[in-house]
Amino acid sequence: QVQLVESGGGLVQAGGSLRLSCAASGRTFSINAMGWFRQAPGKEREFVATICWNGRSTSYADSVKGRFTISRDNAKNTVYLEMNSLKAEDTAVYFCASKTSPVCIALREVNDYPDWGQGTQVTVSS
């Protein structure tokens, strides 16, 4: 099992940027697929981005493609989500998620991931 702690959320104006971090503890991080999801009030948790264990495969939701970038540093057991050109509709609690997967594949479904962080709030004011 992997423990995940997100940070970097906050309040930002529309058009601004934030970088979220997710620090992981556990022996298998370097072979884990990592994902970012978000959940707005009254809505279901939705996929944002994912990166496979070696960083060679990434995938994004259409709503964030071209604005968000997922990356990872296996030496630091950390995955990042760089968010640019933020919009009011990006407001949500952002969660990182982890799944041990030595095969480099994109995992886009909530049910793909057994391990989750507690979330960090991102609020974009218009």
Side-chain angles (χ1 to χ4, degrees):
Q1 188 175 4
V2 176
Q3 287 76 48
L4 305 169
V5 179
E6 302 95 336
S7 60
L11 174 64
V12 64
Q13 289 189 334
S17 298
L18 281 175
R19 187 174 84 155
L20 305 183
S21 299
C22 174
S25 61
R27 294 179 297 171
T28 64
F29 177 82
S30 62
I31 57 168
N32 281 16
M34 301 296 296
W36 284 99
F37 291 76
R38 67 187 182 187
Q39 188 166 16
K43 295 188 176 181
E44 293 187 351
R45 192 168 298 189
E46 65 175 6
F47 168 74
V48 175
T50 183
I51 186 167
C52 77
W53 71 272
N54 60 13
R56 292 180 181 176
S57 177
T58 59
S59 182
Y60 297 90
D62 288 344
S63 59
V64 307
K65 202 172 294 183
R67 300 187 298 122
F68 290 11
T69 302
I70 189 170
S71 62
R72 66 189 295 159
D73 185 338
N74 285 351
K76 296 182 178 180
N77 280 14
T78 302
V79 64
Y80 305 97
L81 186 67
E82 184 76 33
M83 306 186 295
N84 299 314
S85 302
L86 283 161
K87 306 175 181 180
E89 50 264 43
D90 295 319
T91 295
V93 177
Y94 283 70
F95 299 88
C96 72
S98 175
K99 174 183 172 62
T100 300
S101 177
V103 177
C104 185
I105 57 173
L107 300 174
R108 299 168 60 98
E109 302 297 327
V110 170
N111 290 337
D112 287 334
Y113 294 90
D115 298 313
W116 291 82
Q118 82 290 348
T120 186
Q121 176 71 47
V122 171
T123 303
V124 184
S125 62
S126 58

